[in-house]
Amino acid sequence: ASGQWQTSNEIVTEDMSAIEFAPLIRELLNRDYKGLAVNVTGDPSGNQRSQADKNTPFQILKAAGVSASPAATNDPDIRQGTVIRHFQRMTMAGEPGYIISPACKYLRRAYMGGYKFRLLQVAGDVRYNLEPEKNIYSHVCEADQYGFLGAGEGQVIVGVDNSAPLDYSRMNQRAVSHAR
């Protein structure tokens, strides 16, 4: 109600298929968010079919009982902007616009410097690669960004209506931050 975003859980794995990952998400949702309407939002590339069995990661999640859908965009400026916006603001109660639970060790480490952009060697200019370095921190940050997009935060970034107050009624839907 205050407009503060909170991330309370994370699931971080490496080199795990959607078939292996889906039960982990379902278990977390059933354990910590039973009774809440939760929709997992992910990278739109999760709609691409596997060459092995023709299933998409979103279809695999649905088969495991996890409501999941692709984000409206994978544009990095919009994704990153949704999170940055909340890190840079305070709520009406004078609290941070976004807090991350100490239980989210990877996400906290990511935003404290693990999620970074490679410095490019350009004579006379300081420039960074436009894509973050791919590592466990980039994956958890991007999952977090897709969660914000799934809750409608990307509309504010692209200028649908920057003056209107945000609709926080979807806040509980973004209860889980995860990465594969």
Side-chain angles (χ1 to χ4, degrees), residues 7-13 21 24-25 28 31-33 100-111 136-137 140-141 143-144 175-179:
T7 297
S8 56
N9 293 93
E10 67 182 2
I11 300 173
V12 181
T13 65
F21 191 62
L24 297 177
I25 296 174
L28 176 77
R31 183 186 70 229
D32 295 347
Y33 303 96
I100 302 169
S101 166
C104 300
K105 295 182 185 326
Y106 284 95
L107 188 59
R108 290 172 65 91
R109 286 183 199 142
Y111 285 133
I136 200 159
Y137 300 118
V140 73
C141 280
D144 193 43
V176 179
S177 181
H178 67 276

Side-chain angles (χ1 to χ4, degrees), residues 103-177:
C104 300
K105 295 182 185 326
Y106 284 95
L107 188 59
R108 290 172 65 91
R109 286 183 199 142
Y111 285 133
M112 293 296 291
Y115 181 65
K116 56 189 171 190
F117 297 80
R118 184 172 295 123
L119 179 65
L120 299 174
Q121 298 296 325
V122 180
D125 229 359
V126 176
R127 296 175 102 184
Y128 291 89
N129 192 340
L130 297 177
E131 293 291 320
E133 290 182 17
K134 290 297 180 185
N135 57 33
I136 200 159
Y137 300 118
S138 65
H139 298 307
V140 73
C141 280
E142 289 172 6
D144 193 43
Q145 295 162 9
Y146 284 120
F148 274 95
L149 287 176
E153 289 296 304
Q155 295 176 358
V156 174
I157 300 302
V158 297
V160 170
D161 188 352
N162 284 334
S163 64
L166 296 175
D167 176 9
Y168 294 105
S169 64
R170 298 183 65 188
M171 192 179 236
N172 285 338
Q173 293 181 356
R174 201 192 131 310
V176 179
S177 181

Side-chain angles (χ1 to χ4, degrees), residues 1-6 86 89-92 96-98 166 168 171:
S2 72
Q4 183 181 67
W5 287 91
Q6 300 176 3
H86 293 289
R89 70 174 188 82
M90 302 294 277
T91 68
M92 294 299 285
Y98 181 35
L166 296 175
Y168 294 105
M171 192 179 236

